[in-house]
Amino acid sequence: MSLYVHKYGGTSVGDTDRIKNVAERVHKARQRGEDVVVVVSAMSGETNKLVALAHAVQERPDPREMDVLLSTGEQVTIALLAMALQARGCPAVSYTGWQVKILSDASHTKARIEDIQTADIRADLAAGRVVVVAGFQGVTEEGDITTLGRGGSDTTAVALAAVLEADECLIYTDVDGVYTTDPRVEPRARKLDRITFEEMLEMASLGSKVLQIRSVEFAGKYNVPLRVVSSFQEGSGTLISYEEAGVEKALISGIAFNRDEAKLTIQGVPDRPGIASKILGPIAAANIEVDMIVQNVAEDQTTDFTFTVNRGEYKKAMEILERISKELGARNIKGDDKIVKVSIVGVGMRSHAGIASKMFDSLAKEGVNIRMISTSEIKISVVVDEKYLELAVRTLHEAFDLEQGD
Ligand code: ADP
Ligand code: ASP
Ligand code: MG
């Protein structure tokens, strides 16, 4: 018997008609003789509403209570989908994360799945029921509810597909696959039939929110066949798989971007050993993740030190810099929270020179000023002013011939 895990995101379950549409799809799969486990997100906008409610009553919401609150969004959709399936004559049962026992660590709002109990799910499937599981949530050993970070339903689906050894994990969403870049920014973006785990992981970590990073990590690690498809139209979507020998590799597969960036600079700090850790130590201690780091060459025994953080943590990071700049005897601090990161990604880059200069040239021709650069084997990222985001993405898309029909 074939087994598929389907995951439907917020837009795909955005109202009761759409939930009925999902039920229809799942029912058809059952009629084809497939066993189906369905993972659903909260209805679109619901998680944001819950976050806003929390902030309206507590400045820094208590993480444990936040997870109790956030997990309710998905609880609504699982019940409605199970009802919609039953209404079609398709036996179905819903489970929250803690009912399944999706065990996670205790890092509230960004918990990691550690184990999933499958006996009940298997028994339901054997009895001919569709199993509907709430995405994005888990439970600790102690019984506390956790959530898996924004977009976490993708990870629930992949983890279930891994433990149940499903034939494929289908991520149903509001686009019909993974594109060369977000089609909302570049309408000429082209759908990819395949992309490697490595590239998808890079795209996701550089800001392409079509899949949560951890879901891609998980799928790669456990070799779960993963496919992004549309919940509104038929099609084979995009298969995420391992690099295949002999398959010609595109130089650049896609362009990712992240609007959620801010940069901070501490100027004129004495250039001595240990300075980087004196600056970044307190930042790390405050649980602020640092992305790019640039330290200038010193000319007058002092140096400038620049790094980027998530925009949401900009203020907190600035406060820390203000405090330590005095201790360090820095000349000045400055910051900018109107910057974005644009990246080109491709495994083909490994074996080709000249990609970076082509990227910088084409941006320069359009007058886009590059503020920071970082590279790895299969990606090049630049930080530019927020106002250049669309221009930069479209310029690079064209420069690397990624359009449809090319
Ligand atoms: P869901 O609610 O189904 O989880 P998401 O909003 O999380 O859906 O992800 C789908 C969205 O991801 C698309 O609507 C699209 O705007 C965005 N996206 C960003 N980058 C890409 C890309 N490279 N290919 C396809 N979609 C992308
Ligand atoms: N509902 C959660 C969110 O909005 C999880 C998800 O949709 O994957 O982030
Ligand atoms: Mg999503």
Side-chain angles (χ1 to χ4, degrees):
M1 188 85 166
S2 52
L3 168 64
Y4 289 87
V5 174
H6 294 196
K7 178 261 170 176
Y8 295 88
T11 319
S12 308
V13 293
D15 58 35
T16 48
D17 281 338
R18 289 190 170 172
I19 291 176
K20 288 179 190 169
N21 167 56
V22 169
E24 179 66 29
R25 245 176 216 289
V26 173
H27 193 198
K28 277 199 189 132
R30 287 290 299 139
Q31 285 168 330
R32 285 195 297 270
E34 297 165 9
D35 276 345
V36 188
V37 173
V38 191
V39 173
V40 282
S41 291
M43 293 161 85
S44 58
E46 284 307 312
T47 309
N48 288 345
K49 268 190 215 158
L50 294 170
V51 171
L53 285 177
H55 285 280
V57 295
Q58 193 175 23
E59 202 185 323
R60 290 208 182 124
D62 178 74
R64 181 190 180 279
E65 303 313 323
M66 191 67 162
D67 279 350
V68 173
L69 179 70
L70 292 187
S71 66
T72 61
E74 271 70 13
Q75 189 164 340
V76 172
T77 4
I78 50 168
L80 291 174
L81 179 58
M83 289 176 199
L85 283 162
Q86 289 169 9
R88 290 196 138 51
C90 179
V93 56
S94 74
Y95 293 113
T96 62
W98 61 266
Q99 284 177 311
V100 173
K101 266 214 167 199
I102 297 183
L103 278 176
S104 80
D105 63 18
S107 37
H108 285 289
T109 74
K110 46 177 185 291
R112 281 179 180 269
I113 295 178
E114 289 179 338
D115 189 31
I116 300 183
Q117 290 184 15
T118 56
D120 289 350
I121 296 180
R122 287 189 200 280
D124 281 315
L125 292 173
R129 284 187 279 272
V130 170
V131 178
V132 184
V133 178
F136 175 57
Q137 53 183 262
V139 64
T140 65
E141 216 49 274
E142 288 72 38
D144 285 322
I145 292 174
T146 56
T147 61
L148 310 177
R150 299 305 302 267
S153 299
D154 297 333
T155 303
T156 307
V158 173
L160 275 165
V163 290
L164 294 167
E165 294 175 353
D167 293 81
E168 205 167 88
C169 181
L170 293 152
I171 306 288
Y172 285 94
T173 182
D174 56 4
V175 274
D176 62 346
V178 177
Y179 278 69
T180 45
T181 193
D182 189 339
R184 287 179 216 280
V185 167
E186 172 51 284
R188 291 189 296 169
R190 178 167 46 86
K191 184 176 83 71
L192 301 166
D193 292 328
R194 301 182 81 125
I195 184 168
T196 65
F197 280 119
E198 210 181 352
E199 287 167 317
M200 192 63 240
L201 192 60
E202 204 65 78
M203 292 274 282
S205 24
L206 294 167
S208 298
K209 297 198 170 86
V210 59
L211 287 172
Q212 199 200 29
I213 306 169
R214 274 184 202 162
S215 72
V216 187
E217 262 168 15
F218 224 99
K221 187 165 167 194
Y222 296 98
N223 207 357
V224 176
L226 184 61
R227 194 183 288 275
V228 175
V229 274
S230 163
S231 63
F232 302 112
Q233 64 197 73
E234 296 306 316
S236 55
T238 302
L239 179 70
I240 296 121
S241 61
Y242 277 105
E243 218 174 298
E244 276 177 54
V247 174
E248 205 198 327
K249 294 175 197 87
L251 211 52
I252 303 298
S253 301
I255 299 169
F257 55 85
N258 191 355
R259 301 176 199 269
D260 189 25
E261 303 264 339
K263 79 180 167 66
L264 299 96
T265 302
I266 178 158
Q267 292 177 308
V269 281
D271 188 29
R272 347 174 247 268
I275 205 75
S277 85
K278 282 224 174 69
I279 297 169
L280 295 180
I283 298 282
N287 231 334
I288 299 174
E289 228 174 279
V290 170
D291 180 17
M292 285 190 201
I293 303 170
V294 175
Q295 188 183 333
N296 288 350
V297 182
E299 277 186 11
D300 56 353
Q301 315 301 297
T302 72
T303 184
D304 294 350
F305 194 93
T306 303
F307 59 95
T308 62
V309 298
N310 272 341
R311 206 174 279 186
E313 305 198 295
Y314 174 65
K315 274 208 192 110
K316 203 160 110 188
M318 211 38 160
E319 281 165 23
I320 296 172
L321 273 202
E322 271 160 18
R323 176 163 54 76
I324 58 176
S325 69
K326 294 195 188 87
E327 291 162 24
L328 292 175
R331 199 179 328 121
N332 190 24
I333 54 170
K334 50 180 202 177
D336 188 348
D337 65 348
K338 301 263 177 310
I339 55 151
V340 294
K341 183 167 71 175
V342 178
S343 312
I344 57 175
V345 175
V347 287
M349 223 185 269
R350 269 194 206 118
S351 47
H352 278 81
I355 308 277
S357 61
K358 184 169 180 177
M359 180 181 192
F360 305 152
D361 269 358
S362 45
L363 291 173
K365 281 198 189 108
E366 293 297 326
V368 178
N369 193 24
I370 300 171
R371 308 295 207 106
M372 290 170 93
I373 299 170
S374 100
T375 64
S376 80
E377 230 194 345
I378 65 161
K379 71 117 208 266
I380 304 170
S381 301
V382 293
V383 166
V384 300
D385 290 349
E386 187 178 69
K387 64 180 181 209
Y388 292 130
L389 173 74
E390 279 80 8
L391 179 61
V393 170
R394 289 179 196 153
T395 300
L396 295 173
H397 202 265
E398 200 180 330
F400 289 99
D401 292 327
L402 298 174
E403 291 93 348
Q404 291 173 27
D406 275 324

